[in-house]
Amino acid sequence: PETAPTADATTAAPTAEKNEAKSSRAVPGESIERLMRCDLARQHGIRESDLVSLHYVHSIFRRYDRDGSNSVSPSEVRVAFTFFNIYMTTPQVAAVMCMFLRDNCECSPDDEMSVTLTFGRFAVLLQNFESYSFVQRKATLLQGLLASPPSSRIDVVSRWVFPLLILVQVIFFFSAVPLYQAQEE
């Protein structure tokens, strides 16, 4: 009769296979700890591309966390959003931040401008920003310009300045015509 494998035999084989797999994936200079972190990340469904994105978001967050409090205000978030091609006014950003907090069952302050986000909340808001992107409030012309991309700002200013420059040129031309007529006589 066959004997049942012992506990030592069943646990030794998979452990040996794991060690072989780790050593076959090993890159010169890479530690076992790093490989274990990769396995842990894989178990939780985290990819390297996710980590690269998260690292970039964290570097932007640190850059605009001016006071080092590990939280950002609406004005800091507005400037940080421009790195992700999101252009809004500061009051619009504050409103979005408060909506995000309420949607996640967290309290938002009565004064929307005093809301702050930690890095974790900032990263999740950025990831789910499409849900809040249709928020539009009436803004003044200056607020509208500040809430738009630089290329749009230049376009709007050019549309107003160019006709004015043409008008100045026409006025200058017609005011100079009598000078030329006086020289011909």
Side-chain angles (χ1 to χ4, degrees):
E2 281 186 26
T3 59
T6 63
D8 291 349
T10 56
T11 56
T15 305
E17 289 173 10
K18 283 183 184 176
N19 288 339
E20 286 176 24
K22 285 183 182 178
S23 63
S24 66
R25 289 191 318 236
V27 176
E30 190 170 36
S31 68
I32 297 295
E33 180 182 318
R34 177 153 171 79
L35 288 173
M36 288 171 53
R37 281 189 305 208
C38 291
D39 288 338
L40 182 63
R42 226 176 272 115
Q43 287 173 359
H44 290 285
I46 300 172
R47 301 176 313 200
E48 286 290 325
S49 61
D50 298 331
L51 295 176
V52 170
S53 301
L54 197 57
H55 179 70
Y56 177 70
V57 170
H58 190 252
S59 69
I60 298 299
F61 180 86
R62 280 193 324 240
R63 183 182 303 171
Y64 290 102
D65 179 18
R66 295 182 187 125
D67 57 0
S69 63
N70 199 32
S71 62
V72 286
S73 67
S75 61
E76 294 169 330
V77 171
R78 184 187 73 78
V79 178
F81 274 177
T82 62
F83 281 86
F84 304 97
N85 287 329
I86 300 171
Y87 298 93
M88 302 174 87
T89 63
T90 303
Q92 287 173 329
V93 169
V96 165
M97 290 168 65
C98 287
M99 282 188 265
F100 168 75
L101 289 175
R102 289 188 298 268
D103 285 349
N104 288 291
C105 300
E106 296 182 37
C107 294
S108 63
D110 291 335
D111 177 20
E112 289 184 339
M113 295 304 290
S114 66
V115 67
T116 59
L117 292 178
T118 61
F119 170 70
R121 291 177 182 152
F122 175 75
V124 173
L125 172 61
L126 201 55
Q127 183 180 14
N128 299 321
F129 187 77
E130 297 85 33
S131 304
Y132 305 99
S133 62
F134 291 107
V135 174
Q136 295 292 324
R137 289 191 178 178
K138 296 202 182 228
T140 64
L141 179 62
L142 180 60
Q143 288 175 333
L145 281 175
L146 292 176
S148 62
S151 58
S152 295
R153 289 183 219 162
I154 291 170
D155 184 51
V156 169
V157 170
S158 297
R159 288 177 187 218
W160 283 95
V161 170
F162 181 75
L164 291 175
L165 289 175
I166 296 297
L167 182 65
V168 168
Q169 185 178 8
V170 167
I171 291 170
F172 178 74
F173 174 76
F174 283 113
S175 64
V177 168
L179 294 175
Y180 287 108
Q181 289 174 349
Q183 286 179 354
E184 288 179 4
E185 293 174 358

